[in-house]
Amino acid sequence: MLIESPIRQPLILGDKTYAQITDEIVRPIEGRANKMWYLVFTIAALCALWGLGLIAYTFGTGIGVWGLNKTVGWAWDITNFVWWVGIGHAGTLISAILLLFRQKWRMAINRSAEAMTIFAVICAAMFPGIHVGRVWVVYWFFPVPNQFGSLWVNFNSPLLWDLFAISTYFSVSLGFWYVGLIPDFATVRDRQVIPFMKKIYNIVSFGWSGTTKSWQRFEEVSLVLAGLSTPLVLSVHTIVSFDFATSVIPGWHTTIFPPYFVAGAIFSGFAMVATLLLIMRQVLNLQEYITVNHLESMNKIIVVTGSIVGVAYITELVIAWYSGVQYEHYAFLNRATGPYAWAYWIMMSCNVISPQLFWFRGIRRSLVATFLLSIVVNIGMWFERFVIIVTSLHRDYLPSSWTMFYPTWVDIGIFIGTLGIFFTLFLLFSRTFPVIAIAETKSILKISGDGWKRKTESKYAEVGDHGSHH
Amino acid sequence: MNFSLPGKTRNILMAAAAVGLLSLVGTFIMDVQYGWANLLLNAFWFTAISLAASFFVAVHYVGEGGWHVGFKRVPEAMGQYLPIGSAILLLVVLGGYFHIHHLWHWLDPEVQANDVIYNTSGKKVWLQNEFWLIRTLVYLGGWIFFANKLRALSLKEDLEGGMSSHKTAYKWSAGFLVFFAVTSSTSSWDWLMSLDFHWFSTLYGWYIFAGFFVSALTTMLLLVLWLKKNGYMPHLNQSHIHDLAKMMFAFSIFWTYLWFSQYMLIWYSNIPEEINYFLERFSTGYQPWMVLMLAINFAFPLIVLMHRDAKRNYTLAFVAGIVVLLGHFIDMYQIIMPGAMAKYVPVSILSVLAMIGFMAIFLLATFRALGKAALVPKHHPFLNESKQHHI
């Protein structure tokens, strides 16, 4: 597109030049971190260490230190797993699907959203690993030849499909993210004054030379990876939903699970991106790149996906009632009015009701409201998984085995530990990587930068007449 | 530039409509139940295509899309078929309500008196005759209202310019999307899922939506290509066609994703109440049609439309579009017939001809609406973006 309609909001504020963009995005990682960064980093790292310590404790003592019991065979661990995987989805959605829909506002946020994806998937992947208890034979997850162990994997199990899905997703996301970073690393390299750092950035940018041929190959690879990522966004949470929906457990076995899990994942992922970006733009002074318009677009996605999730909740309720299956009936009655009703209503109010506030333009564009609601959504989506998993298990087909699940301090500690790991990694990322895609942002400066928009406003009316000729 | 339907095309469409209506009569002569089932199929499918075209317009208002403005009048005109389609659909629903036919077996008073599942589940309330009829009226009335509102605002913008019509349309579109989000699912339960009224699936509504949305996108692509070939759309370039074909491709895959999710979960769990639905389709004469339908709706677009050049080739895109539409016709056939007929009835020539007849009526209505306004919106704020659309 040559010139965009003047009614579109600018995406880069402050009359930037190309040099300024480079400077303002790279500078934060060249200087020293401020006290605030060290403080937050210390807290996050301590939480991470605490979590790792509790994981070691779990390995040493056994899974009995968790709150699981015979009826509720998995709860906290799988809740955390699904929650973290879901959060990861926003990065891939932004980098692949928003790319296909040519949403220019993605440029400011894709880098950090993709980083978030990778860190979230790392946190998620820990849970299946540690819940096996005997971590030293964790390679039995994989279809390794029988000589290595006594068991061959069960290819009929969605849990195995999940393993493949998550590892593919992780690899492609990492590859996509890294490829995008190559020219930006070269930009950072070119500004380095310390020879050692220059060398490091040269290695990580694969000696990027910026020739036309390099750019052409770069774009080709990016396109192929975007093509691969698009089905991956759908497939990963679809297969996570299969973990539940292939079973014959009331409340789990429902056909709407695949698309509804994907929508929920994008919903929670965008909420987490909003939380992180609101802090990052303030700390790194990026308000002119991550503008209120960006946040408003994200809030629109949050209200749409939140409503899709809401429609799915209601569909499940209505069809359970319509179906006449008494077990389904009871599963939903138990969710809404049973001993875990408090969790159900937290889920309903955080996921379905509160995001509806984003229908109001004022709330959509308010930084404080966005920040608060993004956290509310993250809480709600954690409870969604908890509700689905625990309420369907704790009162199963056999009333004599009905019981409750309560997390232990180890359960809670490990979850806090993964939050610590996530934030530690993200804080390290924000100190060493260009947090906004420099090259991509530059590509929209002359279309969506506010200075250029002012200059071209009058031309927009004319350009249509020429535009039709090429 | 204004559009006027060439006389020759009009005559062909009129003839097709006449042949189609005769064929429909033929299906009634074959078997009255089959006739009604065919009427339901065409009434639903083309109403849904018309609805989805209005949905497309609304999504682009809300999502601030600009690329489509050059051909926006096409989905708008498709939306103008809604009252006609709704009237035919209402006729079928009233036919059931007044016990002229029992396509929906639960409408049979004997079933309502004796069927255990009907009487021990929410179906007794949800599938209550008057409640069901009122819902039908609400869906159809609501859709016509929103589609007409968006159309009227678009025409008003042509006359008045400025931003006010656009801003108002933006708000009405948001309202439409909310209404659509609920009613697209519930209407498919009411008119289609309840044909097999013992059966249920939470994904059903979204699966039906995906099917009629692909059909609408494909119809839109075909219409745009036809208009372009006849010299009406010189401002559209290969990028527009590429994007439309891309949407046809993407939503074909999306449809497959939902079809497969529903099928796989039911097949894997193998619960008698649920698997019955697929046994009716895969263990009967319908099996080859199911396989053909999956091949056309998934494998065909995947192989043929994957490549960039294929989507930019007008002839190929046109042929592919026709094939995809046929695939979704078979999909509609297997959605309706096993439940409505309660036995195997192969896809018949009469059935295909009846569909072509309804297509002709749909096209006549669309072309009529297309001729009533400028072919390109005059003052749409994204018009020039669409003219320079380049990918």
Side-chain angles (χ1 to χ4, degrees), chain B residues 10 53 65 74 76 85 108 124 132 158 162 171 188 211-212 265 271 284 307 311 337 355 371:
Chain B
R10 178 187 305 275
V74 175
E76 264 178 30
D108 189 338
K124 199 175 162 63
W132 176 74
D158 270 8
K171 286 182 185 155
S188 70
F212 70 69
L265 291 175
I271 299 173
T284 59
H307 201 262
K311 293 187 280 268
M337 295 305 169
M355 181 273 282

Side-chain angles (χ1 to χ4, degrees), chain B residues 367-382:
Chain B
F367 284 136
R368 206 173 101 91
L370 205 56
K372 279 190 182 166
L375 203 51
V376 181
K378 288 181 184 146
H379 303 295
H380 195 290
F382 297 138

Side-chain angles (χ1 to χ4, degrees), chain B residues 186-323:
Chain B
T186 51
S187 64
S188 70
W189 304 342
D190 286 347
W191 300 328
L192 303 177
M193 194 166 83
S194 82
L195 290 166
D196 301 85
F197 80 98
H198 282 180
W199 185 76
F200 54 89
S201 166
T202 42
L203 185 52
Y204 195 78
W206 294 357
Y207 152 68
I208 296 294
F209 158 73
F212 70 69
F213 193 50
V214 181
S215 310
L217 289 167
T218 308
T219 312
M220 213 181 296
L221 171 69
L222 294 178
L223 278 167
V224 167
L225 282 170
W226 184 84
L227 286 167
K228 194 159 172 58
K229 190 173 184 325
N230 286 280
Y232 281 109
M233 295 270 178
H235 55 282
L236 295 187
N237 54 45
Q238 266 190 327
S239 298
H240 295 93
I241 305 300
H242 184 180
D243 268 351
L244 267 169
K246 213 190 271 176
M247 292 196 86
M248 171 170 81
F249 172 76
F251 281 91
S252 291
I253 307 299
F254 182 68
W255 172 90
T256 313
Y257 165 61
L258 295 183
W259 184 89
F260 178 74
S261 295
Q262 180 167 278
Y263 174 76
M264 205 285 282
L265 291 175
I266 290 175
W267 167 80
Y268 195 106
S269 304
N270 203 18
I271 299 173
E273 291 88 342
E274 296 181 1
I275 195 75
N276 236 357
Y277 181 85
F278 285 111
L279 287 178
E280 268 178 22
R281 283 157 178 79
F282 276 108
S283 302
T284 59
Y286 289 112
Q287 190 197 36
W289 294 106
M290 294 298 284
V291 175
L292 178 69
M293 185 259 311
L294 291 171
I296 295 180
N297 290 348
F298 171 57
F300 174 79
L302 185 73
I303 295 163
V304 174
L305 291 172
M306 176 78 92
H307 201 262
R308 183 177 192 267
D309 293 348
K311 293 187 280 268
R312 296 174 87 88
N313 180 327
Y314 297 172
T315 318
L316 188 61
F318 195 84
V319 175
I322 288 179
V323 176

